Amino acid sequence: MKQTATAVAPSNIAFVKYWGVRDAALTLPYNESISMNLDACSTTTTVTFDSSLDTDEVAIQWYGQPARPTAGRPFERVVAQLDRVRIRAGIEARASVVSANNFPADAGIASSAAGFAALTIAAASAAGLQLNERDLSILTRQSGSGSACRSIPDGFVHWLNDGTDAGSYAVSVAPADHWSVVDIVAVVDTSIKRVTSADNHGRVTSSPYFAVRLQEVPGRIEQTLHAIRDHDLGALGVVCEADAVSLHVVAMTAIPPTFYWNSGTMAVVHALHRWRDQGLMAYFTMDAGANVHVICSDADKTEVDQRLRELPEVQWTIVNGPARGAYLVDPT
Ligand code: DP6
């Protein structure tokens, strides 16, 4: 028996971020989050359940490089997600997984979000499961890469959370063509993460500022929803920057602390302040890494991108508009 399916999923950037896991087994977060899917950073994954295979086989290809078999923790995370799908579908066949990213491994962007969203949709389809968007988002969240559940719905996405497995899933709040806001990734660091997000999700409560963050997030969720609805870049930028700083304050004050930013990060932040003084609207956010995501309008993207690339600390940039959510590719 051989059953195959291919899916494409975008990465996403959170305006209000997921930081801290309340239940690690189910990947239930403490707080809700809001993101935008990224149209220049996606993963295409083919899953083939094949009863002639003795073990699962996983190969990952990064932009410009040949596909390489994976091992260790990344392999185990993929197998665990295949197991969730097999249990639901009542099948036992092992699978071959081939996953290709259209962006480099060292760009420090959320590759696992695109990867686990594409894996989940392709595996569910190949296994013959009929799941709606909510169920796909829940199953994707359970992979352990929580932010991946936001790559399932279209465009601008709200990860709802009532603290239960059934009530923690992502929904689209606006399609990709609702607002042509841009996220330019300014790459200032290409080293491998020394501390994984998973480690830090588990230690948030050791920071005295985490409780403060949790009080602030619901207000930011409301403001972000309004900013998206009203196409209000200035309002979005203020919330985005405040939320990113709050996440990093928690990381820097947790036990043990993590300092993700480097001097390149701060060079971009200070440049953005200078440019804003000159009237150019561009705002920062950072995930669990040093690279800066710069949010600006579509009209300003060429100017902002050029200025970013002129900064000596910026190695290269990736310019993203909003993208549709994950989808299956027609086999024909
Ligand atoms: C800082 O556990 O979803 O990006 O380590 O890539 O699997 P991976 O990430 P995940 O944590 C992401 C945290 C974040 C903020 C966010 O995307 O909401």
Side-chain angles (χ1 to χ4, degrees), residues 14 17-19 77 112 144-147 150 193 197 201 287-288:
K17 295 183 191 291
Y18 154 49
W19 197 240
R77 288 180 76 188
S112 60
S145 177
S147 56
R150 295 189 311 241
K193 272 190 206 176
S197 300
H201 282 309
D287 281 341

Side-chain angles (χ1 to χ4, degrees), residues 30 32 35 59 78 85 89 167 180 222 268 272 286:
Y30 281 94
E32 300 194 347
S35 60
V78 171
V85 170
S180 56
E222 281 310 304
V268 175
L272 292 175
M286 308 88 168

Side-chain angles (χ1 to χ4, degrees), residues 43-80:
T43 303
T44 302
T45 300
T46 299
V47 176
T48 307
F49 288 103
D50 180 347
S51 44
S52 71
L53 290 173
D54 293 331
T55 55
D56 291 318
E57 294 170 358
V58 181
I60 299 184
Q61 180 182 19
W62 292 98
Y63 177 76
Q65 291 177 12
R68 292 211 175 87
T70 52
R73 188 165 174 265
F75 174 77
E76 283 155 22
R77 288 180 76 188
V78 171
V79 171

